[in-house]
Amino acid sequence: MTEIKKQKAGEWFATLQLQICNEFEQLEREANSGYYIGDPGTFEFENWKRGDGTENLGGGRAGMMRGRLFEKVGVHTSVVQGEFTKDFAGQIPGADKDPRFWAAGISLIAHMKNPRIPAVHMNTRYIVTTKDWFGGGADLTPTLSAQRVQSNPDAIAFHKAMKETCAKHPAADYKAFKNWCDDYFHLAHRDEPRGIGGIFYDRHNSGDWEADFAFTKDVGLSFLDVYTKIVRSRMNENWSKEEREEQLVLRGRYVEFNLLYDRGTTFGLKTGGNVKTILSSMPPMVKWP
Amino acid sequence: MTEIKKQKAGEWFATLQLQICNEFEQLEREANSGYYIGDPGTFEFENWKRGDGTENLGGGRAGMMRGRLFEKVGVHTSVVQGEFTKDFAGQIPGADKDPRFWAAGISLIAHMKNPRIPAVHMNTRYIVTTKDWFGGGADLTPTLSAQRVQSNPDAIAFHKAMKETCAKHPAADYKAFKNWCDDYFHLAHRDEPRGIGGIFYDRHNSGDWEADFAFTKDVGLSFLDVYTKIVRSRMNENWSKEEREEQLVLRGRYVEFNLLYDRGTTFGLKTGGNVKTILSSMPPMVKWP
């Protein structure tokens, strides 16, 4: 049973990666060449393996596009297995007695050239120890202060998409997942939210695997649907030099969050993860003036 | 006795701040206007107070210059007092039974416009609990890979200055302080040194306060002497677009170090320090391409 679940989850993340990359490349081609310099970007893929190759610890497929509309976007999947260290195993459900784990997931961060198009993050994963669960979420980060308010149309559209996705799945508690997102993506040292929020969930196991899997699939698909709509609605707006500056400074907050607080980043970097892939989420250009 | 030591140390850091700022402004004026655009920069100073003002917790004097040669440099002093939290007091010499502390120091980070001039960091401090000690150091970070080698003249000059400073003070163990610097300024996730090193010392109390104070003063003065010489020797070298790109990417390593590892930064940010001053060390422009 578990092997089938792993296979289905792993295949889904691979399928979603391709679908996202295809749709983002389509947006690249649509980008108005009056604003966006050069040819449309395409994804470059790189497979990587975990460990030194003496045992099968899994690996991943990193997809990066440096385009004219998507200034830098990473869409990565991984399927990894191994044993948690003793210290870590105690903190993971079902790993205290048997430290073996298996995990698959997809993660995405997009930094856009046009400051009027929000940056976005999406990540979903399926983890198996002696227990198993899904986790993930999606959140939107407008880079202009005028857009970093809940009354902004992009914020409204993004929240609506996440709420509707949760509404289709009885085990998905939208209000709790939305609050979790706000709590998590918070820069304590500045007492600032990272963006306008979204949803965040973890250790999600309702007892109905097919239902939980369907929810996690829908999070990926509804993220893709609403974000491509936001990009299309904004991509033909021109921007000022001042707005670009504001974006570059705001990106500094993204860097601060990822290096100071983000558990995936800090844990990955401190435990021998794939540095190149982990840090591919860093914005292409940033200012701390 | 202790009050006199505190006063002398506090006055010294304030004196050194002024001297450094004066010499850096002099370099700004000397900068060849063929390479460096605009008028020479000058320091702007801002006094800040710790806490909400209900009790005297001290504060600091932040000096920032955004110039044509010094793209962004902060030279900050602080004199603070208070009580360590219980968790923290146990880790600090002399604070386990009485959590009160007093601390004064100066810290400096310079990011230069010209990628051929290394970035630099210097910090010295005097801390008093029921015990008291000096700490600090200085390290050099060339931003071009060709210069990030121990055979580079800047690296040789910097190490020589630190070695000679230690040699004048019997309690200063140059070899230990140099190794401490290499160990501390290391990016574990990349297995890379931050720069070419320098010296780092902490909890330095030889039993002869005047001698330890004299050593800490000399660290600041010899840093200033050697760094201004390096700047003068490099400032009339023109640079290529490619070198500027390399510098912007290398600055990303500086950001990664400060947010992932630097104890001053992470401790300060997570315990309600002065965010603006702490993060003034971030480079003005950075790329993660």
Side-chain angles (χ1 to χ4, degrees), chain B residues 150-176:
Chain B
Q150 298 300 336
S151 57
N152 181 267
D154 299 342
I156 292 168
F158 197 82
H159 288 310
K160 183 164 177 281
M162 293 299 129
K163 187 175 184 179
E164 287 174 359
T165 302
C166 291
K168 283 191 259 170
H169 300 273
D173 183 341
Y174 173 67
K175 206 171 161 188

Side-chain angles (χ1 to χ4, degrees), chain A residues 177-195:
Chain A
F177 293 175
K178 182 177 188 298
N179 287 338
W180 202 343
C181 184
D182 289 340
D183 288 346
Y184 184 77
F185 292 107
H186 188 258
L187 282 76
H189 63 292
R190 295 185 183 271
D191 196 17
E192 278 178 18
R194 183 167 86 167

Side-chain angles (χ1 to χ4, degrees), chain A residues 66 72 188-190 252 255-261 265-266 269-270 275 279 282-289, chain B residues 66 72 188-190 252 255-261 265-266 269-270 275 279 282-289:
Chain A
R66 292 169 177 88
K72 184 179 174 189
H189 63 292
R190 295 185 183 271
V255 172
E256 291 171 23
F257 181 84
N258 279 17
L259 297 180
L260 286 171
Y261 302 111
T265 305
T266 54
L269 290 179
K270 289 178 180 179
V275 175
L279 291 179
M282 301 298 261
M285 198 197 299
V286 187
K287 286 191 177 181
W288 281 272
Chain B
R66 291 169 178 87
K72 184 179 176 189
H189 63 293
R190 295 187 184 270
V255 172
E256 291 171 22
F257 181 84
N258 280 16
L259 297 180
L260 287 170
Y261 303 110
T265 305
T266 55
L269 290 179
K270 289 178 179 179
V275 174
L279 291 178
M282 301 299 261
M285 198 196 299
V286 187
K287 286 190 177 183
W288 282 271

Side-chain angles (χ1 to χ4, degrees), chain A residues 2 27 29 64 71 73 200 230 254:
Chain A
T2 305
L27 288 167
R29 289 190 293 272
M64 292 297 302
E71 190 173 343
V73 55
F200 186 101
I230 290 170
Y254 220 92

Side-chain angles (χ1 to χ4, degrees), chain A residues 146-163:
Chain A
Q147 295 182 354
R148 290 167 66 79
V149 290
Q150 298 299 336
S151 57
N152 182 265
D154 299 343
I156 291 169
F158 197 81
H159 287 311
K160 184 165 176 281
M162 293 300 128
K163 188 176 184 179

